[in-house]
């Protein structure tokens, strides 16, 4: 069991170093080849890296920066924070794609976003903008309350 944690720590360090290298290359004005898919091993390892860390809910780039500086392992970009959802009568939607993109450009930690269960086009849009993790969530409000009972 301990060996798996050591492995995950080393994997985390490697990915962090790769992200730093990516940022350095971008700062030099060079282009990297974008990766659109990963193997199942990479995808499962990515999720394992987030274990034991905090994924902070954010709605702005400022909040995402604070989360990253505070040691969060990732951020979940939301349309509204849970308190604001309650104040809005319980209505929650997928975050604005422009906000998600701005957050992705402002931090080096993984960025997640939510879409409604069964709404594959929302998930595809999130995939297209390049979020690291898509959470198909039951907490987002259905568009048509009568048809979703």
């Amino acid at each position: 069991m301990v060996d798996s944690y050591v492995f995950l720590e080393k994997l985390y360090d490697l990915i962090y170093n790769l992200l730093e290298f990516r940022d350095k290359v971008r700062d030099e004005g060079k282009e990297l080849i974008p990766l659109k898919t990963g193997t199942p091993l990479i995808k499962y390892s990515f999720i394992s890296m987030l274990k034991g860390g905090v994924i902070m809910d954010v709605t702005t780039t400022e909040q995402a920066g604070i989360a990253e500086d505070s040691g969060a392992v990732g951020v979940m970009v939301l349309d509204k924070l849970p308190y604001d959802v309650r104040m809005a009568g319980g209505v929650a939607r997928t975050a604005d794609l422009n906000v998600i993109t701005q957050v992705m450009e402002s931090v080096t930690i993984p960025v997640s976003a939510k879409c409604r269960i069964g709404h594959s086009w929302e998930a595809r849009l999130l995939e297209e903008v390049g979020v690291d993790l898509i959470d198909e969530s039951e907490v987002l409000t259905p568009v048509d309350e009568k048809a979703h009972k």
Side-chain angles (χ1 to χ4, degrees):
M1 187 66 109
V2 174
D3 291 339
S4 64
Y5 288 115
V6 171
F7 172 77
L8 289 176
E9 283 292 323
K10 288 181 180 180
L11 182 62
Y12 176 81
D13 290 340
L14 173 65
I15 291 176
Y16 187 78
N17 289 335
L18 287 172
L19 289 172
E20 285 184 338
F21 177 73
R22 177 201 64 189
D23 293 342
K24 180 181 174 186
V25 169
R26 283 182 180 169
D27 289 344
E28 293 173 359
K30 298 177 183 173
E31 181 135 355
L32 294 174
I33 300 170
L35 298 176
K36 295 300 251 177
T37 60
T39 66
L41 177 61
I42 290 173
K43 292 177 182 180
Y44 298 138
S45 298
F46 172 72
I47 297 301
S48 297
M49 283 181 8
L50 302 178
K51 285 183 181 177
V54 175
I55 300 174
M56 295 294 301
D57 292 343
V58 300
T59 59
T60 66
T61 57
E62 292 80 17
Q63 292 172 353
I66 292 168
E68 182 176 33
D69 293 342
S70 299
V73 297
V75 293
M76 173 70 71
V77 183
L78 303 174
D79 177 45
K80 300 178 191 82
L81 295 175
Y83 173 81
D84 298 325
V85 171
R86 287 191 296 279
M87 294 295 104
V91 176
R93 298 280 184 249
T94 299
D96 184 297
L97 296 178
N98 292 323
V99 173
I100 294 170
T101 303
Q102 290 168 0
V103 168
M104 289 171 31
E105 292 171 352
S106 71
V107 296
T108 59
I109 56 179
V111 176
S112 309
K114 293 181 183 290
C115 69
R116 290 174 288 160
I117 291 176
H119 290 245
S120 61
W121 287 106
E122 283 182 9
R124 287 182 184 172
L125 286 172
L126 293 173
E127 184 179 36
E128 189 61 34
V129 297
V131 297
D132 298 300
L133 186 78
I134 299 171
D135 179 10
E136 193 175 29
S137 178
E138 72 282 352
V139 296
L140 298 184
T141 312
V143 174
D144 184 356
E145 292 289 340
K146 292 178 184 175
H148 289 83
K149 290 189 178 188

